[in-house]
Amino acid sequence: MDEFLANQDIRENSRKKYRESLHVFIGWLTRNADVRNPQRSDIIRYKQWLIESGKASMTVDNYLVSVRQFFRYLEESGIHDNVAAGIHSPKKPQGYRKGYLKRMK
């Protein structure tokens, strides 16, 4: 995980958030799946656990972004298949959408 984080071109605050969310993910894997060989179905179950634990959809999205990026890195490094590819985040609330740009007069 340290190597993954060191190779991310992100701000330090984002790096801390990635670290925190990956610790949560690895803790969940340790209790609920094979931490040495995670499968796509494990990540889907992890997403469902996050939702059922009452986390907001934006928070769940943030947790999943770090997991998807981590597995993308693992695949690019030849360490593990990217089992997180295509795992969707929950839909964001309608109020989240930004309005269209309007022509100024």
Side-chain angles (χ1 to χ4, degrees), residues 42-95:
D42 297 327
I43 298 171
I44 293 170
R45 289 187 309 124
Y46 173 67
K47 176 176 89 169
Q48 191 60 39
W49 174 77
L50 290 170
I51 293 167
E52 290 172 0
S53 70
K55 300 210 180 320
S57 60
M58 293 296 290
T59 303
V60 173
D61 179 50
N62 289 335
Y63 278 74
L64 292 176
V65 164
S66 59
V67 170
R68 285 191 297 263
Q69 289 295 99
F70 183 59
F71 278 100
R72 188 168 127 201
Y73 174 80
L74 292 177
E75 183 174 61
E76 289 172 356
S77 301
I79 298 170
H80 195 280
D81 290 339
N82 186 354
V83 295
I87 301 285
H88 299 288
S89 295
K91 291 189 178 197
K92 295 171 183 70
Q94 287 293 83

Side-chain angles (χ1 to χ4, degrees), residues 21-35 38-50 52-53:
S21 60
L22 287 173
H23 276 294
V24 171
F25 175 64
I26 292 169
W28 183 89
L29 274 179
T30 302
R31 294 184 306 277
N32 297 286
D34 179 2
V35 73
Q39 302 298 311
R40 180 180 174 79
S41 60
D42 297 327
I43 298 171
I44 293 170
R45 289 187 309 124
Y46 173 67
K47 176 176 89 169
Q48 191 60 39
W49 174 77
L50 290 170
E52 290 172 0
S53 70

